[in-house]
Amino acid sequence: VELMGQVGMMGLEVSLVINEAPLVLAGPNGSGKTSLLLMILGVLRPRAGRLVLDGTLLFDSARGIELCPEQRGLGYVPQDYGLFPHLSVHENVEFAVACRAPRRSRRVRRARATRLLEELDILALSSRRPGTLSGGERQRVALARALAGEPRALLLDEPLAALDAGARKQVRVFLGEYLGKLGLPAIVVTHDPLDAEALGERVAILEGGRVIQSGSLDDLRANPASAFVAEFAATRNSSSPG
């Protein structure tokens, strides 16, 4: 399974291939990381280029093809998680199931939501509302909601940025392990090298709207293409060897 994209908008020109191992997208503020996710998602329209997901054209400017977000089969976790505050945890996830498969019965939708909450070990939170949850709990609910529509790929925008230092370390370990087992193509945007080390095997560095280097963090450390890459790759997780 591959997710490929070549897009151009406001100086953003990117070509990426993502397999079933999560790809971390990093870069300075304003480099276009979130804009790229929104173009893949279908919220922003590229000026030119093409996007392909597992052989399906999502966007092709030359051929006039542009699928709407609902047709793209993508799961998205925004930085602020975007949960509906007036709905319970279970209702938030069930809503996403209904959006993807409106013809499913209420019983089937509830069962799908329950399975996801069980899988993410948050079923006990089903009746609570997002405002009563910790940051780590909200992050798991947002992930469950992103998976509710059985997506073909995941997009996560700074999924740990809203957490305090203690919660961030704990959720980083959980999310890294979960994404590794999930087997879905995923792009994870982060500005934190410790998150990058835990969440993906490969890192793509975006500067000035272009991917200037990609590879493992060890590759980036050995031969950094810019001062930003050198600084980003220099930080190591204290539990990592070397």
Side-chain angles (χ1 to χ4, degrees), residues 62-129:
R63 297 171 60 182
I65 295 171
E66 183 176 6
L67 298 188
C68 67
E70 294 79 11
Q71 296 174 310
R72 297 193 178 199
L74 297 169
Y76 177 54
V77 178
Q79 184 172 335
D80 63 359
Y81 307 139
L83 300 173
F84 296 118
H86 63 291
L87 298 182
S88 70
V89 165
H90 202 287
E91 289 167 340
N92 263 279
V93 179
E94 190 178 338
F95 176 84
V97 179
C99 288
R100 178 64 174 168
R103 294 185 180 181
R104 288 183 181 178
S105 68
R106 178 73 186 277
R107 179 182 60 82
V108 171
R109 295 198 303 264
R110 288 188 63 82
R112 169 70 178 161
T114 297
R115 284 196 300 273
L116 281 168
L117 295 176
E118 284 179 331
E119 183 178 313
L120 289 161
D121 198 26
I122 50 174
L123 185 59
L125 306 177
S126 290
S127 63
R128 292 174 57 183
R129 294 192 177 184

Side-chain angles (χ1 to χ4, degrees), residues 186-237:
I187 300 178
V188 185
V189 166
T190 184
H191 68 277
D192 189 316
L194 299 184
D195 293 348
E197 194 162 23
L199 300 181
E201 297 179 5
R202 186 163 61 100
V203 180
I205 302 294
L206 196 64
E207 286 195 53
R210 292 171 171 79
V211 175
I212 65 162
Q213 191 170 7
S214 66
S216 69
L217 276 175
D218 285 340
D219 293 337
L220 271 56
R221 290 184 187 111
N223 188 29
S226 71
F228 175 86
V229 176
E231 182 178 358
F232 184 86
T235 303
R236 289 178 179 267
N237 192 319

Side-chain angles (χ1 to χ4, degrees), residues 7-86:
V7 295
M9 177 181 178
M10 297 179 295
L12 184 62
E13 298 179 8
V14 177
S15 179
L16 289 172
V17 176
I18 299 95
N19 56 28
E20 292 183 2
L23 171 75
V24 171
L25 187 64
N29 289 338
S31 58
K33 303 183 296 295
T34 295
S35 293
L36 178 59
L37 289 193
L38 294 179
M39 279 188 273
I40 296 170
L41 193 63
V43 175
L44 293 180
R45 188 181 192 275
R47 186 168 52 206
R50 64 197 296 264
L51 291 163
V52 185
L53 172 60
D54 194 18
T56 300
L57 268 174
L58 306 183
F59 176 84
D60 190 327
S61 59
R63 297 171 60 182
I65 295 171
E66 183 176 6
L67 298 188
C68 67
E70 294 79 11
Q71 296 174 310
R72 297 193 178 199
L74 297 169
Y76 177 54
V77 178
Q79 184 172 335
D80 63 359
Y81 307 139
L83 300 173
F84 296 118
H86 63 291

Side-chain angles (χ1 to χ4, degrees), residues 83 89 92-93 122 133 137-146:
L83 300 173
V89 165
N92 263 279
V93 179
I122 50 174
L133 305 178
E137 290 168 341
R138 286 195 297 273
Q139 198 267 354
R140 293 196 188 205
V141 177
L143 184 57
R145 193 180 63 177

